[in-house]
């Protein structure tokens, strides 16, 4: 019997005791209610932490009869880079796509159909049937290694997109096919490869062996949608100066930048030291950031709370954040950024941690990461991209980061321009 079921059985039993013996039953009822509440609390602590936020996080509305978030009012965006860099992007968690399932996903300005064949292999194809435009993943069926259109029953093979069956036709035309997208499954996630020139994958998504071996176990995830160009999110890793400006105040002050300097928790401070460097060939698509975190209370350093983080960025939208602590063990946050539209990013943080550690530890780390990340979102949702920012010598890592990130753009990368009534891409 689970904790929740046991807790729910306690209450009727206590009520019967109260009716049978009111004088003795009242204290017992209170005790049993407390036991039930504790059981439910333990259950909540043991399960994964899942936090999903909408695109309104960090959007501070201006006063008026009908306030709207600044990110939706066509703020001046600046001279933006191409919206879709070349690389691997997370689509969904593997556990969310069981055999025989199909999902319709909007990413990279495209509508994709993702399905898992009965043999367990996942495929990514264009969502719309070339016959009359039905969405293959909305009502479509998985048949073997094919996806069947819900409109007229055309079946398309996941491996190469070729149509192999038209129920009412004598012959299937050779040109009847849909576009397939390179994909891979690793670290419990399904990724899709995007390249504006149609080039095959140029590197692999690295495996985190502790996840594969289940030495580290899943403890939850957060999801945010951010109104910004994709490059600005991982660029924070090279912006060393912002760490002590945005992330120094205690997480108990919350994520709203208007209140993070509250005097209530001013005696608690986070301090940060960081270094960003690109990796050499053959891993020039990777970069590393070393972060040392310390905590001071009333100006006194508590070394037991020091945490070292190694952040490895792989391509334009994937970061491995590995945590190491002397007593609290090791774990990882997988940070993924996937463009939905040119200026709308889906950001997922998933945490895996040593299975011999209490679940409350990784869940606290994930919650703290969420608070700090939402402080950055407030900046991103209200800022302008500057192609030629005014930098000082201490900002040199930002310029080096932009030169490194430029490798993910091509001459044919899709661009967009500003028009009077909005954006065009």
């Amino acid at each position: 019997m689970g904790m929740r079921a046991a807790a729910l059985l306690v209450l009727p039993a206590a009520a019967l005791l109260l009716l049978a013996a009111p004088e003795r039953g009242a204290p017992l009822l209170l005790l049993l209610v407390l036991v039930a509440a504790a059981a439910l609390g333990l259950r909540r602590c043991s399960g994964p932490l899942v936090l999903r936020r909408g695109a309104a996080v960090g959007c501070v509305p201006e006063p008026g009869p009908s306030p709207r978030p600044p990110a939706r009012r066509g703020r001046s965006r600046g001279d933006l880079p191409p919206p879709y860099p070349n690389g691997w992007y997370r689509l969904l968690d593997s556990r969310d796509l069981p055999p025989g399932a199909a999902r319709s996903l909007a990413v990279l300005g495209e509508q994709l159909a993702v399905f898992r064949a009965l043999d367990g292999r996942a495929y990514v194809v264009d969502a719309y049937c070339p016959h009359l435009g039905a969405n293959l993943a909305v009502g479509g069926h998985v048949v073997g290694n094919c996806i069947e259109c819900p409109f007229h029953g055309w079946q398309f093979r996941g491996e190469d997109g070729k149509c192999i069956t038209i129920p009412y036709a004598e012959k299937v035309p050779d040109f009847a096919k849909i576009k397939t997208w390179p994909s891979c499954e690793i670290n419990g996630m399904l990724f899709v490869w995007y390249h504006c020139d149609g080039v095959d994958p140029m590197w692999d998504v690295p495996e985190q062996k502790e996840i594969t071996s289940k030495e580290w176990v899943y403890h939850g995830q957060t999801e945010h949608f951010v109104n910004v160009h994709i490059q600005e999110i991982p660029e924070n890793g090279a912006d060393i100066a912002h760490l002590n400006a945005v992330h120094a105040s205690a997480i108990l002050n919350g994520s709203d930048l208007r209140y993070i300097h509250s005097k209530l928790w001013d005696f608690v401070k986070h301090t940060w030291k960081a270094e960003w460097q690109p990796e050499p060939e053959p891993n020039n698509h990777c970069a590393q950031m070393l972060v040392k975190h310390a905590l001071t209370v009333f100006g006194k350093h508590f070394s037991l709370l020091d945490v070292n983080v190694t952040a490895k960025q792989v391509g334009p939208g994937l970061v491995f954040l590995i945590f190491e602590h002397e007593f609290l063990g090791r774990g990882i946050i997988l940070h993924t950024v996937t463009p939905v539209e040119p200026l709308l990013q889906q950001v997922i943080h998933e945490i895996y941690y040593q299975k011999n550690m209490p679940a409350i530890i990784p869940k606290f780390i994930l919650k703290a990461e969420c608070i700090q990340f939402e402080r950055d979102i407030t900046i991103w949702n209200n800022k302008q991209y500057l192609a030629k920012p005014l930098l000082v010598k201490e900002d040199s890592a930002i310029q080096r980061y932009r030169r490194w990130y430029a490798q993910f753009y091509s001459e044919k990368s899709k661009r967009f321009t500003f028009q009077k009534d909005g954006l065009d891409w």
Side-chain angles (χ1 to χ4, degrees), residues 83-135:
Y84 306 130
N86 303 319
W88 288 102
Y89 294 102
R90 174 195 181 277
L91 290 178
L92 44 70
D93 290 327
S94 296
R95 60 179 170 271
D96 293 333
L97 192 71
R103 292 276 303 275
S104 178
L105 299 175
V107 298
L108 299 159
E110 306 279 353
Q111 197 73 31
L112 304 181
V114 181
F115 69 97
R116 192 181 298 281
L118 300 181
D119 63 4
R121 183 174 175 182
Y123 297 99
V124 182
V125 300
D126 274 356
Y128 299 119
C129 178
H131 177 217
L132 282 174
N135 190 318

Side-chain angles (χ1 to χ4, degrees), residues 141-309:
H141 300 285
V142 176
V143 181
N145 65 343
C146 299
I147 186 165
E148 181 180 280
C149 178
F151 205 1
H152 298 91
W154 292 33
Q155 293 181 7
F156 298 90
R157 198 159 51 200
E159 297 152 8
D160 55 13
K162 182 170 177 53
C163 180
I164 62 169
T165 299
I166 300 176
Y168 54 88
E170 295 182 1
K171 181 182 178 181
V172 177
D174 292 336
F175 54 83
K177 62 186 305 184
I178 54 175
K179 179 182 176 180
T180 59
W181 295 69
S183 62
C184 71
E185 280 192 273
I186 196 165
N187 301 325
M189 293 183 285
L190 175 64
F191 292 86
V192 66
W193 171 262
Y194 170 86
H195 198 288
C196 64
D197 299 320
V199 175
D200 289 336
M202 301 168 66
W203 67 83
D204 296 325
V205 176
E207 176 189 35
Q208 191 67 39
K209 60 182 179 62
E210 291 90 346
I211 295 177
T212 305
S213 66
K214 302 189 184 307
E215 178 183 341
W216 293 350
V217 295
Y218 173 77
H219 281 287
Q221 67 174 232
T222 64
E223 177 187 56
H224 294 84
F225 289 89
V226 188
N227 297 292
V228 73
H229 188 278
I230 180 176
Q231 180 179 318
E232 301 222 58
I233 295 178
E235 186 173 287
N236 255 22
D239 183 4
I240 309 301
H242 99 281
L243 291 172
N244 287 316
V246 178
H247 303 295
S249 68
I251 58 173
L252 292 171
N253 281 331
S255 60
D256 193 320
L257 294 184
R258 295 171 294 178
Y259 309 113
I260 64 171
H261 299 295
S262 167
K263 298 298 182 183
L264 180 62
W265 300 102
D266 195 46
F267 60 90
V268 180
K269 294 289 184 184
H270 302 277
T271 59
W272 309 86
K273 292 183 180 179
E275 179 183 349
W276 179 90
Q277 291 290 342
E279 292 191 15
E281 292 278 6
N283 294 324
N284 59 313
H285 60 280
C286 299
Q288 285 217 14
M289 181 183 181
L290 303 178
V291 181
K292 293 185 177 181
H293 167 268
L295 190 73
T296 60
V297 180
F298 292 111
K300 184 177 180 180
H301 175 217
F302 284 80
S303 58
L304 288 178
L305 298 176
D306 290 353
V307 178
N308 294 327
V309 181

Side-chain angles (χ1 to χ4, degrees), residues 43-50 95 218-221 359 363 366:
R43 177 182 172 85
R44 287 182 63 86
C45 287
S46 62
L49 173 67
V50 178
R95 60 179 170 271
Y218 173 77
H219 281 287
Q221 67 174 232
K363 290 169 72 172
L366 184 61

